[in-house]
Amino acid sequence: MTTQLNERRIANAIRVLAMDAVQQANSGHPGAPMGMADIADVVWREFLNHNPSNPQWANRDRFVLSNGHGSMLQYALLHLTGYDLSIEDLKQFRQLHSKTPGHPELGYAPGIETTTGPLGQGIANAVGFAIAEKTLAAQFNKADLTVIDHYTYCFLGDGCLMEGISHEVCSLAGTLNLGKLVVYYDDNGISIDGEVEGWFSDDTEQRFHAYGWQVLRVDGHDTDAIREATLTAKAESNKPTLIICKTVIGLGSPNKQGKEDCHGAPLGKDEIVLTREALGWNEDAFVIPADIYAAWDAKAKGQQSEQAWNEIFAQYQAKYPTEAVELKRRIAGDLPADFAAQADQFIAETNAKGETIATRKASQNTLQAFGPLLPELLGGSADLAGSNLTLWKGCEGVQDNPAGNYIHYGVREFGMTAIANGIALHGGFIPYVATFLMFMEYARNAVRMSALMKQRVIHVYTHDSIGLGEDGPTHQPIEQIASLRGTPNLNTWRPADTVETAIAWKSGLQRQDGPTALILSRQNLPFQNRTAEQLDNIAKGGYVLAAEKGELKAIIIATGSEVDLAMQAYAELDGVRVVSMPCAEIFVQQDAAYREAVLPVQVRARVAVEAAHVDYWWKFVGLDGKVIGMTTYGESAPAKDLFKYFGITKDAVVEAVKAVI
């Protein structure tokens, strides 16, 4: 009993920090941190293998707070265990430019492994962490030396389980036997609207059994039970584990615990006084006694753990020097030293071939060339590999070989994309994922999170327009490219042929501060001849593909399949320049002199042509220009008939140019 009471006092440090910070901010969610404090006490003080002095230690356990609204739980844990997160930082909770924003944000506070808040995506990231750990371990561990060996611990709540993405990713986690994934479900029965039994009556235990998980049930305030369940979870190497923890939200608050009142609002000053009394906590706000700090401090233990791993890695380095160098390179996120040169050689060879093929096929050819150079590539598709052409000859599925390099995600676009974010966050891999462009909509929020967290994920989207033909309006993307282009920190490429496709891949792979979307055609696209200078300028996102004959009177801007339409129109016009703009985001980042050389300001007669929604292009053509594209949904018919029906033709481009001149 004494031990239990002492542990409760240690856990109460989380409760008081959470309620104090939320009260001071007059905003936040105190209930989840107060309810999960006992679980966090056991996991963080007894099981989590981490080093607060080096939050990026490669073999650390990963922790994900999927129910990210309870962010003060994680901030309190980071502060108490010794990370560089001061009590003053906690006092600045939810304030401008603080290290402690309303939800855990990657890059703000040390020890935050991923941005959480959009419910369900945290558990998806955790599945990605677990896949990355298992695959990296299979690729690098030796029979006599294990250098990759860590767990992923995830906290989640009712909201995460209600979101459909949790089904997608937890189903796949069971299929892939992710035995080092341990998830704690905060089963408190309360969400913002009240008691969840009126809208969430699932049998969660049976649901996860059906996925192939190990499922355990505990009292979420019984630290002995939580400890035993965690040991049982770690003993199961072939199944992920869900520990259902029955908790009381806001535990300790005499008048608000167990109620929605403490879910998303401060307790109130009077209730905090009563809560302190109920907890037997006599210190002022934000004051933690020295003995409590000592009980939480993980710095010495963490340094010892990392040092022990360093000694093992030193042995690994001595015995397997090639693998050690490769592992360090991949963890650092660096590409092989000769990658750029070899990529450029492939691009030159592609240019010399001059093939007329679909850009989805050009993408596969590029993967076939780049894949053997980049063992860190970990690809996948949402059950469309034969259409996306994401498989190359060296691919091997991780479901058959844990050391493989390809994930068959099944029809799980949202889950796939959020898992890829987790894989990228883990390190050691560059993930690429694929689906039809139309079904990017299922994954939209996870694409946004790729960009928000600045992760190197390659999003491959094929069947890019009405050019996919007979499948009709449900499958023909219209507004999706504009949506992607409107996403900050996402580079969206829509290449016109084989060369632009290869350069788009090279750009995405070399980029280390954000994701790339590749928009690829189903139909064959003609090859465009270029000079050496034009070839170099593709990487700048936009360039002059065809110079004007005589005085410059008008400019045609095009991307993807419509570049050829622009070139056909060009052949019938004088004084017209064709600009191919495969990546507008990169083009606008070029210096003013280059942009002016491509799109002279004084030339106001401009026409943009793209088989997508017209609205994006007005900023490039101005109110005096014209945009040829889509303003409605598509129809079911062969591609050639659709382009004619919707007026995306050579003749339409010619007439538009004449009109603006």
Side-chain angles (χ1 to χ4, degrees), residues 527-545:
F527 178 78
Q528 304 296 331
N529 292 308
R530 300 174 182 85
T531 65
E533 182 181 5
Q534 289 171 327
L535 196 64
D536 289 340
N537 285 339
I538 293 173
K540 296 178 181 178
Y543 64 101
V544 178
L545 176 62

Side-chain angles (χ1 to χ4, degrees), residues 288-445:
I288 304 296
D291 64 328
I292 299 295
Y293 272 126
W296 276 105
D297 190 359
K299 286 184 288 187
K301 181 181 176 182
Q303 289 167 354
Q304 290 171 4
S305 295
E306 182 175 357
Q307 181 56 37
W309 181 83
N310 287 339
E311 292 171 4
I312 293 172
F313 190 75
Q315 297 174 45
Y316 185 89
Q317 203 163 11
K319 193 166 183 180
Y320 306 104
T322 302
E323 290 91 335
V325 169
E326 179 71 359
L327 179 57
K328 289 172 71 174
R329 177 189 71 77
R330 286 175 54 175
I331 289 173
D334 298 329
L335 296 178
D338 61 348
F339 171 74
Q342 295 205 53
D344 288 342
Q345 181 180 343
F346 171 75
I347 291 165
E349 293 169 354
T350 301
N351 188 54
K353 286 181 181 178
E355 293 179 294
T356 291
I357 57 176
T359 50
R360 62 172 176 162
K361 179 60 179 175
S363 172
Q364 186 181 48
N365 292 346
T366 303
L367 277 169
Q368 188 60 56
F370 291 176
L373 308 176
L374 299 172
E376 57 264 51
L377 279 180
L378 186 55
S381 177
D383 201 46
L384 290 169
S387 294
N388 298 142
L389 303 184
T390 47
L391 284 167
W392 51 281
K393 291 178 183 177
C395 283
E396 189 171 5
V398 298
Q399 77 279 4
D400 299 318
N401 177 9
N405 60 359
Y406 196 85
I407 302 169
H408 292 276
Y409 283 102
V411 187
R412 299 180 176 99
E413 295 90 352
F414 191 7
M416 169 185 73
T417 307
I419 286 171
N421 291 341
I423 291 170
L425 287 160
H426 179 278
F429 295 100
I430 300 174
Y432 66 90
V433 291
T435 187
F436 289 175
L437 177 57
M438 184 64 248
F439 303 126
M440 176 279 296
E441 294 289 358
Y442 284 128
R444 184 70 187 87
N445 200 268

Side-chain angles (χ1 to χ4, degrees), residues 173-186:
T175 299
L176 294 180
N177 305 120
L178 301 179
K180 289 187 176 177
L181 174 62
V182 184
V183 178
Y184 299 80
Y185 166 31
D186 180 26

Side-chain angles (χ1 to χ4, degrees), residues 139-347:
Q139 291 178 355
F140 282 96
N141 287 348
K142 304 296 183 181
D144 58 335
L145 286 170
T146 298
V147 290
I148 301 297
D149 180 20
H150 52 266
Y151 284 79
T152 300
Y153 297 98
C154 178
F155 288 4
L156 56 71
D158 295 303
C160 295
L161 293 178
M162 283 187 261
E163 290 287 359
I165 189 175
S166 69
H167 163 67
E168 296 183 26
V169 302
C170 293
S171 167
L172 185 61
T175 299
L176 294 180
N177 305 120
L178 301 179
K180 289 187 176 177
L181 174 62
V182 184
V183 178
Y184 299 80
Y185 166 31
D186 180 26
D187 183 16
N188 60 40
I190 297 292
S191 66
I192 291 175
D193 281 353
E195 296 181 5
V196 301
E197 61 186 11
W199 49 88
F200 184 51
S201 58
D202 302 17
D203 188 331
T204 299
E205 181 174 357
Q206 290 303 313
R207 171 185 167 187
F208 276 78
H209 275 308
Y211 292 152
W213 287 52
Q214 173 178 233
V215 183
L216 308 171
R217 282 187 176 273
V218 299
D219 177 344
H221 303 298
D222 183 338
T223 53
D224 289 334
I226 298 163
R227 183 178 301 109
E228 288 303 314
T230 304
L231 289 169
T232 301
K234 295 187 70 171
E236 173 54 74
S237 60
N238 292 317
K239 294 181 179 181
T241 297
L242 177 72
I243 304 176
I244 300 174
C245 304
K246 192 62 182 175
T247 61
V248 177
I249 191 171
L251 184 71
S253 170
N255 297 305
K256 296 188 176 183
Q257 70 177 23
K259 302 176 181 178
E260 64 270 22
D261 302 40
C262 65
H263 185 290
L267 295 183
K269 293 181 180 179
D270 292 342
E271 186 67 16
I272 284 178
V273 171
L274 296 175
T275 303
R276 276 186 152 75
E277 292 176 0
L279 296 176
W281 193 272
N282 301 316
E283 286 73 18
D284 293 336
F286 295 105
V287 174
I288 304 296
D291 64 328
I292 299 295
Y293 272 126
W296 276 105
D297 190 359
K299 286 184 288 187
K301 181 181 176 182
Q303 289 167 354
Q304 290 171 4
S305 295
E306 182 175 357
Q307 181 56 37
W309 181 83
N310 287 339
E311 292 171 4
I312 293 172
F313 190 75
Q315 297 174 45
Y316 185 89
Q317 203 163 11
K319 193 166 183 180
Y320 306 104
T322 302
E323 290 91 335
V325 169
E326 179 71 359
L327 179 57
K328 289 172 71 174
R329 177 189 71 77
R330 286 175 54 175
I331 289 173
D334 298 329
L335 296 178
D338 61 348
F339 171 74
Q342 295 205 53
D344 288 342
Q345 181 180 343
F346 171 75
I347 291 165

